[in-house]
Amino acid sequence: MGPREINDDIFPKDENNRHFSKIYKIRKFDNNEKVKRRWLVYSKTIDRVFCFCCKLFNSSHRTLSTIGNNDWKHMTTTLISHEKSPEHFTAYKKWHECELRLKLGRCIDNDLQRVMNTEVKYWKSILERLISITLYLSKHNLAFRGSSDKLFERNNGNY
């Protein structure tokens, strides 16, 4: 599903009265073109930013892929140097390719996903039938079980 969009407007401040800003989510080029940094993820719980694609597809121990970064004073230069790194390029390509394959349904686990979806549909239909039975019996004030607990005998109930 990819990284979640940052919707908050209020972020915690550090000891220098600095905090994360939504401005970091947009990269501005020299020709005033603006591009969203889809890969930038902010963690509310630890007040740090991470690179989504490097976290998933990069095994190097760069700051944005492992422990995150909260140096808000130097965040702009950190983000620019990170997105120009070859490790980030590689991870971003892998993420983009994976995203395309998922949309087209051409992943390794596509058959497994199809089986899981049919199982979900099967159990959902059973649950719908059970709820319909329960609603019918309660609407007509009928008991679930009868005087006998054995299957296929008379008076073993309505269920």
Side-chain angles (χ1 to χ4, degrees):
M1 294 181 69
R4 291 187 179 174
E5 189 68 32
I6 300 169
N7 295 325
D8 292 347
D9 290 329
I10 301 169
F11 300 99
K13 295 182 179 182
D14 63 3
E15 61 275 353
N16 297 323
N17 209 21
R18 291 189 171 97
H19 59 88
F20 177 78
S21 174
K22 286 187 175 182
I23 295 170
Y24 298 132
K25 286 286 291 181
I26 297 171
R27 180 179 179 187
K28 188 175 178 184
F29 291 99
D30 294 334
N31 63 355
N32 287 331
E33 181 182 357
K34 295 178 181 179
V35 176
K36 262 185 152 180
R37 289 182 171 125
R38 290 182 48 225
W39 51 267
L40 189 65
V41 179
Y42 174 75
S43 171
K44 293 180 192 177
T45 54
I46 58 174
D47 189 33
R48 290 178 175 267
V49 291
F50 293 90
C51 176
F52 182 78
C53 52
C54 290
K55 189 89 172 152
L56 291 179
F57 298 105
N58 192 358
S59 61
S60 72
H61 297 287
R62 293 184 63 92
T63 308
L64 287 177
S65 63
T66 53
I67 60 171
N69 193 334
N70 64 352
D71 181 12
W72 308 123
K73 183 177 182 180
H74 303 105
M75 185 56 65
T76 305
T77 56
T78 303
L79 293 176
I80 290 171
S81 67
H82 177 78
E83 61 193 355
K84 289 182 179 179
S85 69
E87 294 92 1
H88 177 76
F89 277 125
T90 307
Y92 191 83
K93 281 188 222 174
K94 288 179 183 178
W95 175 39
H96 187 68
E97 181 182 344
C98 180
E99 201 173 36
L100 287 174
R101 286 182 184 217
L102 284 171
K103 285 180 183 175
L104 296 174
R106 295 185 180 165
C107 295
I108 295 171
D109 62 345
N110 192 33
D111 292 334
L112 180 62
Q113 189 67 38
R114 194 176 307 115
V115 170
M116 286 173 48
N117 289 341
T118 56
E119 285 282 322
V120 166
K121 286 179 186 176
Y122 172 76
W123 288 109
K124 186 176 179 181
S125 68
I126 287 178
L127 185 62
E128 287 173 354
R129 278 185 253 150
L130 291 173
I131 290 172
S132 295
I133 291 168
T134 304
L135 290 175
Y136 178 81
L137 291 175
S138 64
K139 184 177 180 182
H140 293 91
N141 201 18
L142 297 171
F144 276 96
R145 56 181 276 206
S147 58
S148 173
D149 288 338
K150 294 183 181 177
L151 292 175
F152 307 112
E153 283 191 5
R154 298 186 122 231
N155 298 325
N156 70 342
N158 295 312
Y159 187 67

